[in-house]
Amino acid sequence: SASASASPSSPSLEKAGGDGDGMVDTFREGNRAPGAPEGRFTCWDQYKNARYSNEGLRIDFILVDGDMFAESVRPEDFRLHGGCDEVAPGSEDAALRMATAFGNFQPVPFTGGGMSDPPMRVYDMQFSEPHNGIVYTPPKYSDHVGVSLVLHLKAEEGSERIGGASASAAEESEAKRQTLKAQPHLQTRKISCFFQQGAAAGAAKGPTAQKKRPSAGISLGGAKKKMAPPPPLQQQKAGGGKKQKTLFSFMGKSVR
């Protein structure tokens, strides 16, 4: 298995790792000393049960500006879970223990049957105190797991919260505008909006009286004569010896 310190062979990610634009890979940067941890992956091939032998890739990253990392990320928030007295936290054994919830997640039988459900206490093992690193969610959720980062942001001077409790209405409006600009997906209309608009328009018109459709008939000299209803289906079948004209008949074809 590859080392978790190795990045995917992507030039853009290698550049983002701190070689050009000042962005850093938070997991790699926070786990440089005393040595890069081994086997810390975020994705495994579930078709091959690769998670249970911990053969995977670390392809889920949190990239932040280098200056922000130095100011807002604390070293004590980096934790490698899975270690014990006999197992070093940065070892592959510790990584395997976390990937499989200490052996509670079992491989899927190749004969079928799907993933087994462990007890709820095993599912709850994904929840821990906030930390910088990997969040090992159950394999039933996805073939990926999550990554996390704790930021310690400083409040502005004289303010009780980030952004300033004493910010003016104009400043708050501008902050909201900039937030929406950075989140264009919030402005996308959902398909449910169109159904809601149609329902609202129908309710505004109110119930409409249905017009009574005139009965079919033939007018003869001002007197309306009702047309006789078609014969029952049994009679139609009984007289089925006749060839019925259809649309295909006028196209040079006949249907018997």
Side-chain angles (χ1 to χ4, degrees):
S1 57
S3 170
S5 63
S7 296
S9 56
S10 168
S12 59
L13 283 179
E14 288 176 359
K15 180 181 179 181
D19 295 332
D21 55 6
M23 302 294 287
V24 298
D25 171 4
T26 56
F27 185 86
R28 176 196 286 178
E29 192 70 19
N31 290 287
R32 285 188 181 276
E38 298 179 349
R40 295 289 172 164
F41 307 124
T42 63
C43 181
W44 302 265
D45 188 345
Q46 297 213 119
Y47 287 100
K48 298 179 180 179
N49 279 330
R51 180 165 179 166
Y52 309 99
S53 57
N54 199 33
E55 299 175 71
L57 294 170
R58 187 173 69 87
I59 58 176
D60 300 275
F61 298 84
I62 296 179
L63 305 175
V64 301
D65 178 78
D67 293 336
M68 184 179 186
F69 183 89
E71 294 176 2
S72 304
V73 179
R74 297 177 182 175
E76 59 267 25
D77 290 328
F78 286 92
R79 300 186 187 95
L80 295 171
H81 299 104
C84 63
D85 293 339
E86 296 82 17
V87 179
S91 66
E92 286 222 29
D93 288 339
L96 176 62
R97 284 154 64 98
M98 290 305 298
T100 60
F102 296 86
N104 286 284
F105 294 138
Q106 295 296 316
V108 179
F110 288 108
T111 55
M115 295 183 180
S116 59
D117 271 319
M120 184 54 65
R121 62 174 178 79
V122 178
Y123 280 103
D124 290 341
M125 292 174 66
Q126 63 185 299
F127 305 111
S128 64
E129 72 281 358
H131 68 285
N132 301 334
I134 299 174
V135 181
Y136 288 91
T137 50
K140 211 166 190 179
Y141 292 1
S142 173
D143 55 352
H144 288 251
V145 293
V147 290
S148 63
L149 179 67
V150 180
L151 295 175
H152 298 272
L153 302 177
K154 298 178 181 178
E156 294 181 0
E157 186 177 350
S159 303
E160 297 180 357
R161 63 178 176 85
I162 299 171
S166 58
S168 65
E171 290 173 335
E172 290 186 354
S173 177
E174 176 62 16
K176 290 181 179 179
R177 189 186 71 81
Q178 293 292 343
T179 301
L180 288 175
K181 185 178 179 181
Q183 299 175 335
H185 62 281
L186 296 179
Q187 304 176 32
T188 304
R189 298 179 67 186
K190 299 180 179 179
I191 191 171
S192 58
C193 296
F194 299 97
F195 294 105
Q196 293 171 358
Q197 290 179 357
K205 291 182 180 180
T208 55
Q210 295 184 353
K211 295 182 180 180
K212 187 176 180 181
R213 296 179 62 183
S215 58
I218 302 175
S219 178
L220 298 174
K224 191 172 183 180
K225 182 179 180 182
K226 290 187 177 181
M227 296 176 62
L233 185 60
Q234 292 82 357
Q235 295 183 16
Q236 294 181 21
K237 289 183 177 180
K242 299 179 180 179
K243 185 186 295 184
Q244 296 182 356
K245 288 188 176 182
T246 65
L247 178 61
F248 295 101
S249 304
F250 299 97
M251 298 171 63
K253 301 177 181 179
S254 62
V255 178
R256 295 184 181 274

